[in-house]
Amino acid sequence: MTFPREIDTPSVTILLERVQANIDRVQAIVAGAGIRNRPHIKTHKIPAIARMQIQAGAVGLTCQKLSEAEAFIDAGVTDDILITYNIVGRRKLERLMDLSARVKRLAVVADSEAVLRGISEVALERGRVVPFLVECDTGFGRNGVQTPAAAVALAQYAATLPGVRFEGILTFPVGTDAAKVFLTEALALFKQAGIEVPIVSGGGSPALLKIEDFPMLTEYRAGTYVYNDVMMMASGLARLEDCALQVRATVVSRPSPDRAVVDAGSKILTREQYYVKDFGRIVEYPDAVVSNVTEEHGVIDLSRCERKPEIGEVVNIIPNHCCAVSNMVDNVYVLSQGEVVDVLPVAARGAVW
Ligand SMILES: Cc1ncc(COP(=O)(O)O)c(C=O)c1O
């Protein structure tokens, strides 16, 4: 296969030059701020793209789930991984120990004594010491200790347990005033308590724009920037021409003058919305929007378009949230200078356990 027109639809393509430019740009932003770059692979889930990130200067990788780390360690991409998810339950802890024996450093997070006790118990049995960061909820309302004092208390508790080693603190997303206040207070309290905090890890692509306001960070975890999407455009991080992942779709119906239907629905575009109202933008028709999706149908609102697509026409859609789209396909088609140059398996597709 040489030309994109030979790719059947719906399918996912990535534009190689844009991926490389996104990687280089963010590496420069993070390194320029004096911070170690540890990109999050949950966006692409592809070892070859992680290699490009490491090649550009990343010090290691971030994975959200244990199974992602397994896929990337199997691929031999790096021997320094951070898993940003509480590992809970005997089976997972056994897998964590198996995995940590295969790399130089496999770090995790914890936000409670119960999570730390679980890790400690199995680490002790296996004769291992697992490095961890205290996850702090600085306003996102997800995992994390709720106060700076609780972060210090958890590190102090860890010091009483075998098999775990406190290495620092982590939050997602960074970039807010609340995150700045939380991290500053936490670091002051750690200092008072005489506890060193070697790593302060921040994350999130939109917050890259504010990285200079967070001089306390030592590591950065961004994921979405590698492809970008409608959300990243809405956040101001990316322009349309920075969006590297596209969903190719064929117009299969024109039921009315202002409506087209394409063969990409929620099973490829997903229904992710977050802070955008519709479900994607169309490269060839900038005034059109994907106004609704059902499983196999994408409904396009053409009411603002002067030019309108015909049945059979292929269009390229920028999804709202590229990370969720990546997880919907077995392979992505890699395009360079208008040609298909590779087909990459999404190695950690479905790796959510
Ligand atoms: C813990 C954690 N770190 C980093 C990231 C990367 O954020 P983004 O995809 O906005 O770059 C995420 C994204 O979900 C996350 O959950």
Side-chain angles (χ1 to χ4, degrees), residues 40 42-43 62 64 84 135 140 142 170-172 202-206 220-225 232 321 323:
H40 208 311
K42 51 102 203 182
T43 300
T62 307
Q64 201 82 321
T84 46
E135 180 162 2
F140 194 47
R142 204 169 65 178
L170 166 147
T171 194
F172 173 81
S205 293
Y220 206 90
R221 319 171 317 273
T224 310
Y225 78 94
M232 290 308 112
H321 190 191
C323 314

Side-chain angles (χ1 to χ4, degrees), residues 47-163:
I49 295 182
R51 275 194 198 95
M52 291 166 69
Q53 292 172 312
I54 303 251
Q55 185 76 32
V59 296
L61 299 175
T62 307
C63 295
Q64 201 82 321
K65 304 306 285 285
L66 197 49
S67 49
E68 288 175 335
E70 285 166 341
F72 277 70
I73 289 171
D74 284 348
V77 184
T78 177
D79 59 3
D80 183 352
I81 288 185
L82 167 69
I83 301 177
T84 46
Y85 208 90
N86 283 345
I87 311 284
V88 174
R90 179 99 206 168
R91 283 171 71 152
K92 285 197 173 63
L93 290 163
E94 298 272 3
R95 283 166 56 210
L96 176 66
M97 298 308 151
D98 291 344
L99 212 51
S100 78
R102 293 173 56 196
V103 285
K104 200 171 83 206
R105 178 173 174 274
L106 180 60
V108 294
V109 295
D111 64 355
S112 70
E113 294 186 359
V115 167
L116 276 181
R117 273 196 303 274
I119 301 170
S120 165
E121 229 174 83
V122 185
L124 183 62
E125 284 170 27
R126 297 286 201 96
R128 302 206 64 79
V129 175
V130 177
F132 80 96
L133 307 180
V134 172
E135 180 162 2
C136 303
D137 176 7
T138 58
F140 194 47
R142 204 169 65 178
N143 286 15
V145 295
Q146 296 295 299
T147 61
V152 177
L154 196 57
Q156 285 167 331
Y157 178 70
T160 70
L161 296 177

Side-chain angles (χ1 to χ4, degrees), residues 32-298:
I35 298 172
R36 288 148 52 92
N37 190 21
R38 183 181 292 281
H40 208 311
I41 61 79
K42 51 102 203 182
T43 300
H44 54 73
K45 291 175 172 264
I46 297 174
I49 295 182
R51 275 194 198 95
M52 291 166 69
Q53 292 172 312
I54 303 251
Q55 185 76 32
V59 296
L61 299 175
T62 307
C63 295
Q64 201 82 321
K65 304 306 285 285
L66 197 49
S67 49
E68 288 175 335
E70 285 166 341
F72 277 70
I73 289 171
D74 284 348
V77 184
T78 177
D79 59 3
D80 183 352
I81 288 185
L82 167 69
I83 301 177
T84 46
Y85 208 90
N86 283 345
I87 311 284
V88 174
R90 179 99 206 168
R91 283 171 71 152
K92 285 197 173 63
L93 290 163
E94 298 272 3
R95 283 166 56 210
L96 176 66
M97 298 308 151
D98 291 344
L99 212 51
S100 78
R102 293 173 56 196
V103 285
K104 200 171 83 206
R105 178 173 174 274
L106 180 60
V108 294
V109 295
D111 64 355
S112 70
E113 294 186 359
V115 167
L116 276 181
R117 273 196 303 274
I119 301 170
S120 165
E121 229 174 83
V122 185
L124 183 62
E125 284 170 27
R126 297 286 201 96
R128 302 206 64 79
V129 175
V130 177
F132 80 96
L133 307 180
V134 172
E135 180 162 2
C136 303
D137 176 7
T138 58
F140 194 47
R142 204 169 65 178
N143 286 15
V145 295
Q146 296 295 299
T147 61
V152 177
L154 196 57
Q156 285 167 331
Y157 178 70
T160 70
L161 296 177
V164 291
R165 182 177 65 241
F166 170 74
E167 281 200 343
I169 56 177
L170 166 147
T171 194
F172 173 81
V174 78
T176 61
D177 287 345
K180 198 189 297 181
V181 169
F182 193 117
L183 295 177
T184 307
E185 276 182 31
L187 290 171
L189 289 183
F190 274 106
K191 198 167 175 197
Q192 259 176 38
I195 302 171
E196 285 212 18
V197 186
I199 298 174
V200 181
S201 174
S205 293
L208 283 164
L209 296 172
K210 298 190 180 152
I211 202 165
E212 298 291 347
D213 298 343
F214 288 81
M216 73 288 277
L217 297 181
T218 66
E219 286 203 357
Y220 206 90
R221 319 171 317 273
T224 310
Y225 78 94
V226 75
Y227 290 154
N228 289 315
D229 51 25
V230 176
M231 286 202 298
M232 290 308 112
M233 288 196 280
S235 77
L237 182 78
R239 305 157 303 169
L240 186 72
E241 54 272 35
D242 302 317
C243 292
L245 178 145
Q246 303 180 340
V247 174
R248 272 175 79 75
T250 302
V251 176
V252 292
S253 178
R254 284 293 317 276
S256 69
D258 283 345
R259 194 192 317 157
V261 179
V262 293
D263 60 357
S266 63
K267 282 180 175 164
I268 189 159
L269 287 170
T270 79
R271 286 193 71 86
E272 299 268 276
Q273 282 184 306
Y274 290 95
Y275 44 84
V276 284
K277 273 212 326 271
D278 35 63
F279 298 94
R281 297 293 144 80
I282 297 164
V283 175
E284 295 80 2
Y285 296 91
D287 296 324
V289 288
V290 184
S291 56
N292 194 13
V293 282
T294 56
E295 284 176 69
E296 288 84 11
H297 298 76

Side-chain angles (χ1 to χ4, degrees), residues 270-334:
T270 79
R271 286 193 71 86
E272 299 268 276
Q273 282 184 306
Y274 290 95
Y275 44 84
V276 284
K277 273 212 326 271
D278 35 63
F279 298 94
R281 297 293 144 80
I282 297 164
V283 175
E284 295 80 2
Y285 296 91
D287 296 324
V289 288
V290 184
S291 56
N292 194 13
V293 282
T294 56
E295 284 176 69
E296 288 84 11
H297 298 76
V299 177
I300 317 284
D301 176 358
L302 301 170
S303 57
R304 282 181 291 154
C305 301
E306 270 176 32
R307 217 168 36 84
K308 300 182 184 190
E310 302 291 322
I311 288 177
E313 198 171 320
V314 172
V315 293
N316 289 286
I317 301 172
I318 309 288
N320 284 352
H321 190 191
C322 59
C323 314
V325 172
S326 272
N327 194 48
M328 304 301 272
V329 290
D330 290 333
N331 298 297
V332 298
Y333 294 87
V334 183

